[in-house]
Amino acid sequence: MEKKILCILIALVSSTTGAFPGDKVEFSLLPMRHLIPVWSANSTAHRISASKIMENNNYIGSMGGVFPLISAAQEEKAVQVSIASTLYAQLERPPKHLQVINVDFFVDLFFDFSLNENLVLRSGFGHTSQHLTDDAIELLGYGRSINYLRDYFQLFGMLKAEAIKGFVYGGAYYNYKFKTQAAGKYDVPDDAPNPMIYEMGTEITPLQVGASSFVYAGVDIKLRGEAKFGASQNYQIGIKHVNDLGRTIRFAFNHHAGLEERGQFFVLHNTFNTFSLYFDF
């Protein structure tokens, strides 16, 4: 299966680079601009963030980002290769000090293809493994952990739309290696989770409040094959400041509903609200 996916990826790269005619192609090593921005309402996006859950004394933090390696461009067409890595953690704050509940690792290799000024495709490979910590098991009473990991191929499209002053996106992850071995903790099959996860979303910027500052809103929905295609939903509204290179600072309110995004709790439903600070680099 990995060989088939690699062949598809090579075909995509070849077809896109082949679309460049013989005119000059501009190459850039470690380019400063991204072809695809961070999808703001995606709860597991590659970024630096800090969130306070309003319903309890828990916090969510992340450290990471997307790092473009090389790009090739000609007029409206462009190809960009990036690596991305982020660690997410949720923490509980008892009276004395913070205790870590879970740590979730995400790594991606992105191949982005700009077909024109409005349409961008993304493909690539990724890995995530998601764990309970010693604090959760020994001090906080979460019980034993499960084995949750995914190696995946992804394919997405993003369309910029002036009518909404933003963009819409959608696509899927195919998990060619997928373990959700709950060892009896959850009533789900250990060896054959559905390999598909579908994701769709949008960001709109209806109001400009400064030279580079905007009020915005975002929605992200994932349909998760490992939980009978139940939905993880996140709705976000906030203020963002964007510099000339597209680097963004956001302060936002989130409403999460539906299935947990954390692999250790993947069949559980959870509804909560957060105030969050994001750094999208």
Side-chain angles (χ1 to χ4, degrees), residues 229 250 279:
F229 292 104
R250 308 174 188 266
F279 300 90

Side-chain angles (χ1 to χ4, degrees), residues 36-113:
I36 291 183
V38 172
W39 296 334
S40 57
N42 180 2
S43 298
T44 58
H46 292 286
R47 63 191 355 163
I48 300 171
S49 68
S51 301
K52 172 67 172 69
I53 298 177
M54 306 309 297
E55 286 75 14
N56 55 40
N57 210 22
N58 288 8
Y59 297 82
I60 302 169
S62 70
M63 183 65 68
V66 182
F67 309 98
L69 298 177
I70 190 169
S71 64
Q74 184 184 76
E75 298 179 353
E76 293 183 348
K77 296 183 176 65
V79 180
Q80 187 173 86
V81 180
S82 304
I83 58 172
S85 179
T86 301
L87 182 150
Y88 273 85
Q90 185 162 321
L91 305 96
E92 185 172 321
R93 186 178 181 181
K96 292 185 178 180
H97 59 83
L98 289 172
Q99 294 174 334
V100 182
I101 299 171
N102 64 283
V103 288
D104 300 343
F105 301 93
F106 297 86
V107 180
D108 286 282
L109 176 64
F110 294 135
F111 298 85
D112 297 335
F113 310 91

